[in-house]
């Protein structure tokens, strides 16, 4: 079974229960890094792609796999690097389907989201598009208007911004997305690789904009209440037209 450890954010002092993600080895066996519950998490302030990967041996075949370092997006906007102990941990063979990616309650009504490792900006956009499709949005495409930062995605009734840069998104980024979505009578959602400033969080909460952090494992993590709601309920169901006498 993937292990879960308490992770306390050094910025807001909030404690989260973090579950180690699992990844499929080439032999088919699930593998996972072994977390260190005694060590303090580090704040991910600066990213260097070559330093973000772990070597995790497969306990079934011994193959050395490269997987992203475990990370957690705290609701305060801080991205935390979860400490890892020496040696791998693999779930029991019979439990792989139920525990893929360490899924918990929000995903009980849908199949688990399958993360894809984020190594490049293009990977971040692909992950966001796959996640939106998993939520139930269809016809996902590049947005007609390019945002000031990052890349825009559009779906029916939705405008999304994916920011793969290494700086936290600020209030202007969030407000520009909201204004653009308003002109298109659409809802909006923001994905950031480096988290959000406190001002961006406050503005998004006031406007009801879901904010997600993209970790390098490729699992979008909600960081505010609107994102939690979207993650739990998925895309809104299309309104059904009332039948008339000609239907």
């Amino acid at each position: 079974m993937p292990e879960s450890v308490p992770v306390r954010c050094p910025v807001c002092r909030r404690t989260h229960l973090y579950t180690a993600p699992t990844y499929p080895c080439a032999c088919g066996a699930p593998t996972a890094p072994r977390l260190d519950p005694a060590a303090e998490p580090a704040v991910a302030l600066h990213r260097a792609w070559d330093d973000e990967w772990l070597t995790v041996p497969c306990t079934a075949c011994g193959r050395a796999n490269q997987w992203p370092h475990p990370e957690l997006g705290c609701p305060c906007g801080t991205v935390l690097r979860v400490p890892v102990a020496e040696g791998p941990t693999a779930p029991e063979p019979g439990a792989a389907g139920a525990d893929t990616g360490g899924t918990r309650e929000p995903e009980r009504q849908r199949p688990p989201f399958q993360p894809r490792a984020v190594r490049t900006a293009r990977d971040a956009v692909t992950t966001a598009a796959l996640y939106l499709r998993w939520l139930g949005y269809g016809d996902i495409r590049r947005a007609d208007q390019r945002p000031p930062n990052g890349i825009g995605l559009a779906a029916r009734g939705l405008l999304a911004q994916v920011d793969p840069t290494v700086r936290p998104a600020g209030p202007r980024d969030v407000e520009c997305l909201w204004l653009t979505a308003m002109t298109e009578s659409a809802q909006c959602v923001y994905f950031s690789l480096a988290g959000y400033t406190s001002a961006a969080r406050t503005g998004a909460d006031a406007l009801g904009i879901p904010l997600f952090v993209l970790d390098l494992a490729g699992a979008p993590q909600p960081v505010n209440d609107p994102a939690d709601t979207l993650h739990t309920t998925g895309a809104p169901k299309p309104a059904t037209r009332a039948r008339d006498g000609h239907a």
Side-chain angles (χ1 to χ4, degrees):
M1 297 283 292
E3 61 179 328
S4 298
V5 298
V7 178
R8 188 176 187 182
C9 176
V11 177
C12 70
R13 315 306 297 173
R14 186 177 307 186
T15 299
H16 311 276
L17 187 63
Y18 179 83
T19 303
T22 60
Y23 304 97
C25 178
C27 72
T31 61
R34 189 162 65 91
L35 306 180
D36 186 353
E40 292 293 326
V43 177
L45 295 176
H46 305 287
R47 294 191 181 279
W49 291 105
D50 291 341
D51 299 332
E52 300 289 344
W53 301 88
L54 294 173
T55 300
V56 181
C58 175
T59 56
C61 70
R63 184 190 304 266
N65 298 290
Q66 292 291 317
W67 301 121
H69 196 292
E71 291 184 348
L72 170 67
C74 179
C76 73
T78 305
V79 179
L80 303 174
R81 184 170 297 171
V82 181
V84 175
E86 295 294 330
T89 296
E92 298 176 2
D99 297 311
T100 300
T103 56
R104 294 192 296 274
E105 182 178 336
E107 297 167 329
R108 62 177 178 267
Q109 294 182 347
R110 294 186 299 276
F113 176 71
Q114 300 296 326
R116 295 180 60 174
V118 176
R119 296 176 182 265
T120 65
R122 183 175 182 179
D123 292 338
V125 176
T126 300
T127 294
L130 291 173
Y131 181 75
L132 292 175
R133 187 175 296 119
W134 176 80
L135 288 175
Y137 290 100
D139 190 27
I140 300 169
R141 61 196 185 280
R142 283 290 184 96
D144 295 332
Q145 298 187 44
R146 184 174 181 177
N149 294 304
I151 297 168
L153 295 175
R156 187 174 300 126
L158 182 78
L159 188 64
Q161 183 166 337
V162 185
D163 188 349
T165 62
V166 294
R167 68 165 187 85
R172 183 176 178 274
D173 301 314
V174 172
E175 291 168 4
C176 286
L177 172 63
W178 179 76
L179 289 172
T180 304
M182 286 287 289
T183 63
E184 300 183 9
S185 300
Q187 300 297 317
C188 58
V189 58
Y190 205 114
F191 296 91
S192 174
L193 190 65
Y196 304 87
T197 66
S198 58
R201 276 286 317 280
T202 300
D205 290 344
L207 297 172
I209 302 173
L211 301 180
F212 291 87
V213 166
L214 289 171
D215 64 22
L216 295 181
Q221 300 181 29
V223 297
N224 65 351
D225 289 341
D228 280 327
T229 300
L230 180 60
H231 180 81
T232 302
T233 62
K237 301 297 185 294
T240 56
R241 294 183 177 179
R243 293 174 177 260
D244 55 29
H246 301 285

